[in-house]
């Protein structure tokens, strides 16, 4: 599974800056060898001011990875209290 993008539900928007936390999280997700998931808020140029993301690497199962990635994304979204184009969704999992 390492190096695989897994099951992609939608292609996440990734900022061009390689030091951006969401870009780093997605690259770590792709490089992970076990069950992993990447969650993010949907990107809309009109409504999204921020991109919030979360991931879980090497979880015991794909379902657990998805649940924990969603929790991570939602916790980040709640802590920053920002307006985005929507709630957190699983973008990819394996």
């Amino acid at each position: 599974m390492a190096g695989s993008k897994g099951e992609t539900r939608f292609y996440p928007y990734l900022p061009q800056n390689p030091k951006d936390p969401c870009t780093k999280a997605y690259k770590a997700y792709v490089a992970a060898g076990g069950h992993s998931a990447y969650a993010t808020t949907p990107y809309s140029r009109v409504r999204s001011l921020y991109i919030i993301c979360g991931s879980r690497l090497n979880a015991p199962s794909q379902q657990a990875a998805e649940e924990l990635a969603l929790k991570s994304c939602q916790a980040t979204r709640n802590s920053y209290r920002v307006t985005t184009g929507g709630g957190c969704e699983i973008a990819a999992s394996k």
Side-chain angles (χ1 to χ4, degrees):
M1 282 195 264
S4 166
K5 292 182 182 179
E7 175 188 330
T8 303
R9 297 183 186 169
F10 66 92
Y11 289 98
Y13 172 80
L14 298 173
Q16 298 300 322
N17 181 358
K19 294 183 180 181
D20 181 81
C22 289
T23 301
K24 285 182 178 181
Y26 185 75
K27 288 183 178 183
Y29 156 76
V30 171
H35 294 290
S36 303
Y38 178 81
T40 185
T41 53
Y43 178 71
S44 168
R45 292 187 318 171
V46 176
R47 298 182 355 192
S48 298
L49 299 175
Y50 303 95
I51 299 297
I52 306 294
C53 63
S55 64
R56 175 65 172 146
L57 308 177
N58 302 319
S61 69
Q62 183 176 356
Q63 181 179 2
E66 289 178 4
E67 290 172 4
L68 294 170
L70 275 176
K71 284 183 183 180
S72 172
C73 181
Q74 290 166 346
T76 304
R77 187 171 183 256
N78 292 340
S79 71
Y80 285 112
R81 297 182 185 142
V82 296
T83 302
T84 62
C88 295
E89 299 177 28
I90 296 295
S93 66
K94 56 183 174 179

